[in-house]
């Protein structure tokens, strides 16, 4: 199965009203802004989307509204964060009917499986759908590393087509390419190693801070892919304090506060998360303010076309 997933894919936030209900109108506005700003696709209901804080019904309604708003203009990949393969299959089948373009599949959450258990989870879910699937490898957050030997087994599943690589070890990108060639589309999943990952051959970047600064994200990615390293480094150095916000436990709150500061969304989150206070909040406000004061003038960079 060939899937042309490439480019910058923000992991979009789920916008909430003050009472905790989903604000679909705000999410639609956010999506329209992101598409206008040139992003290449989206991840809906990933970590930034607070997947685990939504009910099964809310997840389906959110995907319906997202697919309706996007209307085929960019790929919509749905995050799948479930406790068991059976629950994952129910979710994936619903997402397939709704019309998403693919699934970003996590290992079963809560229980930390053995290698064999993780493989069976992925195989069982993949074989229940015709949708293309992206493996989400994040041992830092989920305690499970889909290592090269496990990846070799999953390479036998034709609809597993991509990997969101979030080990934080950029050597893994080279190892995957050396072992599997072009079998998988490899996405960088950690914001503060984005440039390094692209230079090593990652063809996509799933990003949290792209929600806040999409034009800068797209320009950084395209400059890097075009080999214009000095220009890419200029943007990357400016961006780095912001990108670091994506690598800490409160990343969702940080990103949503930054969205609010730029009037792209609201900081409202659902329990167990709480909005930032005190020094944590002041730090995010300071980083965003500094970024706005020193924001690069993208017009000085000759346009780089999308691939």
């Amino acid at each position: 199965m060939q899937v042309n997933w490439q480019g910058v894919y923000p992991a979009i936030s789920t916008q909430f009203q003050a009472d905790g209900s989903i604000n679909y109108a705000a999410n639609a506005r956010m999506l329209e802004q992101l598409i206008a700003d040139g992003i290449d696709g989206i991840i809906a209901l990933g970590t930034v989307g607070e997947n685990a804080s939504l009910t099964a019904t809310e997840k389906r309604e959110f995907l319906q509204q997202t697919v309706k708003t996007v209307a085929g203009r960019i790929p919509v990949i749905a995050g799948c964060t479930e406790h068991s393969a059976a629950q994952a299959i129910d979710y994936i089948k619903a997402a397939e009917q709704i019309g998403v373009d693919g699934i970003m599949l996590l290992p079963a959450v809560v229980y930390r499986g053995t290698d064999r258990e993780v493989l069976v989870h992925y195989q069982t879910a993949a074989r229940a759908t015709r949708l293309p699937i992206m493996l989400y490898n994040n041992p830092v957050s989920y305690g499970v590393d889909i290592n090269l030997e496990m990846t070799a087994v999953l390479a036998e599943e034709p609809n597993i087509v991509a990997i969101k690589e979030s080990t934080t070890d950029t050597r893994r990108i080279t190892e995957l390419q050396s072992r599997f060639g072009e079998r998988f589309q490899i996405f960088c999943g950690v914001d503060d190693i984005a440039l390094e990952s692209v230079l090593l051959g990652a063809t996509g970047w799933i990003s949290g801070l792209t929600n806040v600064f999409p034009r800068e994200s797209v320009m950084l990615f395209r400059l890097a892919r075009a080999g214009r390293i000095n220009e890419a480094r200029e943007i990357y150095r400016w961006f780095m304090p912001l990108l670091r916000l994506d690598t800490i436990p409160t990343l969702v709150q940080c990103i949503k506060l930054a969205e609010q500061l730029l009037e792209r969304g609201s900081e409202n989150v659902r329990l167990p998360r709480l909005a930032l206070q005190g020094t944590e909040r002041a730090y995010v406000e300071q980083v965003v303010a500094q970024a706005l004061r020193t924001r690069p003038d993208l017009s000085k960079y000759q346009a780089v076309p999308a691939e």
Side-chain angles (χ1 to χ4, degrees):
M1 179 180 291
Q2 297 298 314
V3 173
N4 187 30
W5 292 342
Q6 298 191 31
V8 178
Y9 282 51
I12 63 170
S13 61
T14 300
Q15 292 293 300
F16 297 117
Q17 306 276 11
D19 65 1
S21 60
I22 298 176
N23 188 339
Y24 291 112
N27 261 104
R29 288 194 298 272
M30 180 185 67
L31 282 168
E32 292 295 349
Q33 284 182 299
L34 289 170
I35 293 170
D37 287 330
I39 56 96
D40 299 291
I42 60 165
I43 307 295
L45 299 180
T47 302
V48 178
E50 298 178 73
N51 184 310
S53 298
L54 274 62
T55 68
T57 298
E58 286 176 324
K59 292 177 188 181
R60 287 153 176 76
E61 291 176 349
F62 187 87
L63 291 179
Q64 287 172 340
Q65 294 297 322
T66 300
V67 168
K68 179 180 177 181
T69 300
V70 169
R73 289 175 288 175
I74 55 172
V76 175
I77 301 177
C80 181
T81 306
E82 302 295 338
H83 298 317
S84 70
Q87 291 173 317
I89 289 169
D90 286 345
Y91 174 87
I92 291 169
K93 286 184 178 296
E96 188 170 7
Q97 291 181 340
I98 289 166
V100 305
D101 299 290
I103 298 293
M104 184 181 73
L105 181 59
L106 276 70
V109 294
V110 180
Y111 173 68
R112 179 177 173 178
T114 65
D115 289 1
R116 182 169 64 93
E117 289 169 331
V118 171
L119 285 173
V120 171
H121 176 82
Y122 273 101
Q123 290 168 328
T124 303
R127 293 170 187 175
T129 182
R130 297 178 63 185
L131 282 175
I133 290 175
M134 174 187 292
L135 307 178
Y136 184 7
N137 187 34
N138 189 341
V140 176
S141 296
Y142 301 111
V144 174
D145 182 15
I146 305 171
N147 58 46
L148 294 176
E149 296 307 316
M150 295 169 71
T151 304
V153 174
L154 295 176
E156 298 175 8
E157 305 298 324
N159 61 331
I160 295 181
V161 300
I163 300 172
K164 179 184 178 183
E165 180 47 55
S166 300
T167 59
T168 74
D169 183 353
T170 55
R171 291 172 294 188
R172 181 63 66 86
I173 294 173
T174 300
E175 291 170 343
L176 287 167
Q177 292 169 330
S178 296
R179 180 79 176 265
F180 303 106
E182 298 182 356
R183 169 64 181 82
F184 299 104
Q185 297 282 342
I186 300 175
F187 279 67
C188 169
V190 184
D191 274 4
D192 65 352
I193 55 171
L195 178 56
E196 297 90 328
S197 297
V198 174
L199 295 181
L200 288 170
T203 57
W205 174 24
I206 295 173
S207 168
L209 269 300
T210 293
N211 289 293
V212 189
F213 291 98
R215 292 184 183 273
E216 289 82 359
S217 300
V218 170
M219 182 62 76
L220 168 62
F221 181 87
R222 292 182 181 175
L223 288 170
R225 289 281 286 176
R228 293 163 58 178
I229 310 304
N230 289 336
E231 295 167 291
R233 274 198 303 234
E234 289 179 1
I235 299 174
Y236 198 46
R237 288 170 178 167
W238 163 83
F239 218 165
M240 184 56 69
L242 289 158
L243 299 179
R244 290 285 195 189
L245 298 176
D246 189 61
T247 66
I248 59 178
T250 54
L251 66 98
V252 175
Q253 295 94 310
C254 291
I255 291 166
K256 294 185 90 169
L257 174 57
E259 285 182 302
Q260 179 168 289
L261 293 170
L262 270 79
E263 299 182 347
R264 299 185 74 97
S266 165
E267 69 171 327
N268 293 334
V269 290
R270 274 194 181 172
L271 294 171
R273 293 179 177 86
L274 293 170
L276 299 179
Q277 294 181 339
T279 56
E280 289 181 310
R281 184 182 190 87
Y283 178 72
V284 174
E285 292 173 339
Q286 179 268 319
V287 168
V288 171
Q290 175 66 13
L292 290 174
R293 284 193 296 270
T294 59
R295 195 171 191 173
D297 177 10
L298 298 184
S299 67
K300 76 175 186 177
Y301 303 105
Q302 182 180 355
V304 186
E307 295 183 24

